[in-house]
Structure formats: structure tokens, C-alpha cells
Amino acid sequence: MKKTISILLAVVLLFSALPVFASAQSAATVDIKGMSVIAEAGVTVYAPVMVNAQNITTLAVEVTYDKTVFELVGVEKLHLGNAADENLAVDGPDITASPYRFDWAYINEFDYDGVAASVKLKVKDNAENGDYQVTYTVVECADTNGVEAEYDSETVTVTVTDDRAVLDRNDGWPSSIGEKAVYIVSDEGAEKALFAKGGKLVYGTSLFLDGIWTPNFNGLVQINGTVYYFVNSEVSADFAGVVNYEGNYYFVMNGVADRVPGWKLVGSDWYYVNPEGYAVIGWVYDNGVWYYTNANGVMEYDCWKKDSIGWVYLGLNGAMLTNAWCTDSQGWCYVGADGYAVTNCWKQDSIGWIWLNENGSMTKGAWIQDGGQWYYLDENGYMVSNAWRKDSKGWCYLGASGAMVTNCWIQDSVGWCYIGADGYAVTNCWKQDSIGWCYLNSEGSMTKSAWVYDGYNWYYLNADGYMVTGTHRIDGKYYTFASNGVWVG
């Protein structure tokens, strides 16, 4: 059975520097205080040491421990005021010594919050049940006047037990440890510290300063395979969303990363965790359907999304649409089998033909050219066919295919008209066909049963719209026309 070690180990060394008077009898006093610690066998224990002191020239502390139970890993020292931290990782041939001595450099008036150290002891895997002693002793201390301190020490009891009830981790919270208890763990060689404050997990490398927790950490920490999210050094039970941790994204809920694959609903927002247990930022392929999550990991829906290929539409359920019509503020668009908006092509629906422009939107009230032919889309976006269309240049005719016709005769309810090479109806001019000559008036229609004056001569068009020659009775009188149709008498 793997042992759980209840370690009454985390120690606060409180050094109250008393006023120094001229009298040689005045001396500082070092007072050592301890706190409880809980750890599992095989982990590294941080034993915090704190000294409230200023203007000290010499300060040394020895720690004595049972080498069959603990292995001294090192000491990290820091200044709690404005002075620069030493931040030393102690090593060397005497690192395993018991007692082990560590010293501080000069502590000046800028260290107004004192100095601190984290003594790191690894609890051995084979530690037997029982009580063990760890003793901290100030062995040397003198102020700037050379006055030595009164030394003090304290022995802390370390209890090794198989009773796992001291740490209830079923719901992720230690529920039966004290206000000042410390839970220390080591994950893949990286030491991490969890502090219990009011029944909550907290993380940090700072210390309890005179029983008050100093928060100093924001982010994710993986502990025994579980990833926790901390805000101000406390597990954030209020946060729900995606957090980046060492290059990977995690979906966090109730302070813990949820690594179960699938969709996660928070309020009205959906998040996705992939089969590897990571949250996805970007495109998601799930059950044959594409979805997209934004930079916050939230699934987007009922909107367009553009990538290097083109535009796609995400439906009301977030799924990328395929082979479907969709609409936005610009009008109707069509997405193909690949999910991308169809552009620069024709598309037919139950009403008629539509031209989808370079943006994928329906062209409305405009001309488009396709394959060398001109077409017109009405105000609703549908191709016009078998109809006249007038613009600033004149009248043109859109045939059965919707293409503007050229160089041909067109018959409508009024009569015959001729469309020229430019696609516009020919007006105010003569036109010859296989039967004869006809005159196309200002509207482009054949003139019938009427006189025409071309500015030089008079001509007459019969009821069929063709120019007459020879002698004809018109309105009860006879008129004679030359072979070229000119009236001669």
C-alpha cells in the first residue's frame, strides 16, 4: 500500500528584530514557529522558513532530519522586500548532510518584509509508519552593530501513516486538512505546492507569512495527472473556458481541466475537446461534419467564415453547410458539396436562374457577361429571358437562353425588329431581308402602311412593312415609285 505522510513540517522562522540600544546587553531574538504539512511518499516537501529581520550581517540556520526518511534536495532563498533575490538552488557534496547549514548574505533595511527560504526534503518511498523529528535551529545571527541574537530552535513531529482519510481527494478538494495545512506534490520531477486555505486548493512557491497566504500564481498546473486552473493562487471554481498550458489548450470547468473528449456546453456556448483531451481552437471535424471554434474556444454559428480557399457558412447548430442555400444581409448564396460558397457561376432554383458573383452573392438589377454573352439579372436576382430590356443605349432583346441576341430579326406583339451586332435594336434606318426593303422606325419596329421621308426622298411602306415600287393606289389615288422605291409621281 502506498503511504500517505502527514507531515507537521512547514516551518516559519519568525525573527523579530528588537531595537538595538547602545547597551551591549541588547540582542535580537529568533523565534521559530511551525505549521502542518501533508504529503505522499516519494514527493518533495517544501519546508518554508521565514525571518522577519532587517540590518542583519550574519544569519545561519541548521536543519536536522532523519536521513532514513528524508533526502535533502536543496534550499531556495529569497528576499521579501525590494532587495534582489538570491534564488539559490543549493547543491554540492554536502547536500545530504544532517544537520545541513545554510546562510544569508547581508540583510538590509530594504528587506522590510524579511527573508525566506524553502528547504526541500524528499520523503523516501520506503518510509515506515511512525513519528520522526525535524529540527530547525538558528546557529548564528548578528546585527550591524555586531550584537549577536539569542538563538532558538524547534522540533517538528513528522507522522507517517497509512490513513488516507487525512486527504479526501474524491471531489478534487482536500476537505479534512487544517487552515494552514500544506499539501506538497511532485509531478514528473517538477515540484509543485498546494496550500489549503479555507478548504480550497491553492498553489504557490511563496510562503505563509505569519499565517497569511500571499497569492502569486495565475495559470494551469498539472498535479498527479489532473490539470488545475489557478487565479491568484486559488483554484478558480468560477471560471469556465479554454486556457493555454505549455502550448496546449485545455477546457477548464470548476477549476479543473475536463479532458473527456466531446462537446461541452457552458451557458449558450459550446466548446470541443478532441480525442487527445485538448480543447480545439479553429476547425473541428466531428462525425463527418466541420465546425469552427474562435480564439476563445467557443463554437461559432449562423455566420460566414473565410479561409485560404473561400467562404463557408456555419449554420444555426454550428455545422458547416453543404449543397444548400443560405442568406445574409447581402442576399442569397449557395454553398457546394465542399462547403464553399459558389462564385462566378450560374445556379438554378425552382424560380429560375441566378448568377452568383465573385463574393458568392446573387447579382441583382445588373448586366453580367459570361462566355462572351451578356445577360441581365432583374431586381430579384433572376435571369431575364424572352424579353426586351432598355438602357441608356437603347433597346436590346434577351432570348430564350437569357443571352442578349445580335444580328437577327425579332418579332414581338408590335411586329418585326432587327437587332444589330451590338445587341441593340436598329432604329431610323433601312434594312433589307430576303423579301425586300423595310424601314425600322424610332422604336425599332417595321413601318407599315405609311410614308417615310429620309431627308431626300419619299417612300411608301405597304401593309407588310416593305417598300413599294411601280404604281400603287394609296388612299384612293395612284402613285408611281421608281425601282429604288423613290416616289416619282
Side-chain angles (χ1 to χ4, degrees), residues 286-462:
D286 182 43
N287 290 326
V289 179
W290 285 100
Y291 302 84
Y292 187 82
T293 60
N294 61 24
N296 296 320
V298 178
M299 182 192 75
E300 296 190 358
Y301 63 94
D302 195 23
C303 65
W304 288 98
K305 192 69 184 177
K306 188 177 184 181
D307 63 13
S308 58
I309 299 176
W311 289 93
V312 298
Y313 193 80
L314 305 172
L316 291 174
N317 65 349
M320 185 178 76
L321 299 184
T322 58
N323 297 319
W325 288 97
C326 48
T327 185
D328 60 14
S329 59
Q330 302 299 315
W332 285 94
C333 305
Y334 189 83
V335 290
D338 60 358
Y340 289 94
V342 175
T343 61
N344 295 318
C345 72
W346 293 100
K347 189 69 183 176
Q348 188 179 30
D349 65 11
S350 59
I351 299 176
W353 286 94
I354 296 165
W355 176 259
L356 301 169
N357 61 27
E358 64 275 8
N359 294 323
S361 298
M362 291 173 62
T363 299
K364 296 180 179 181
W367 289 95
I368 65 102
Q369 189 177 34
D370 179 44
Q373 300 288 330
W374 284 97
Y375 302 83
Y376 187 80
L377 288 305
D378 65 20
E379 289 72 16
N380 295 317
Y382 288 94
M383 181 189 74
V384 176
S385 61
N386 296 318
W388 289 98
R389 182 73 195 175
K390 187 176 184 181
D391 62 17
S392 59
K393 293 182 180 180
W395 287 94
C396 57
Y397 191 82
L398 302 166
S401 67
M404 185 175 70
V405 301
T406 59
N407 297 317
C408 65
W409 288 95
I410 296 295
Q411 187 180 31
D412 59 13
S413 59
V414 177
W416 286 94
C417 304
Y418 188 81
I419 310 297
D422 61 356
Y424 288 94
V426 176
T427 61
N428 299 316
C429 71
W430 293 98
K431 186 66 181 177
Q432 187 181 31
D433 64 12
S434 59
I435 299 176
W437 287 90
C438 57
Y439 190 83
L440 302 170
N441 60 28
S442 58
E443 295 296 324
S445 298
M446 291 175 62
T447 300
K448 296 180 179 182
S449 302
W451 290 90
V452 172
Y453 181 69
D454 66 0
Y456 301 96
N457 299 292
W458 285 95
Y459 303 84
Y460 188 79
L461 288 303
N462 64 20

Side-chain angles (χ1 to χ4, degrees), residues 12 35 49-50 80 113 115-116 206-214:
V12 173
M35 295 186 299
V49 176
M50 191 275 233
L80 302 181
D113 285 328
V115 291
S206 292
L207 311 176
F208 276 111
L209 306 180
D210 196 17
I212 300 175
W213 169 247
T214 303

Side-chain angles (χ1 to χ4, degrees), residues 23-45:
S23 171
Q25 285 75 25
S26 298
T29 300
V30 177
D31 183 19
I32 305 175
K33 296 186 182 295
M35 295 186 299
S36 61
V37 178
I38 297 178
E40 294 179 359
V43 304
T44 299
V45 176

Side-chain angles (χ1 to χ4, degrees), residues 8 25 156 234-235 248 310 369 372 453:
L8 301 175
Q25 285 75 25
V156 178
E234 294 191 2
V235 171
N248 292 313
Q369 189 177 34
Y453 181 69

Side-chain angles (χ1 to χ4, degrees), residues 53-54 71 370 436:
Q54 292 181 359
E71 175 186 347
D370 179 44

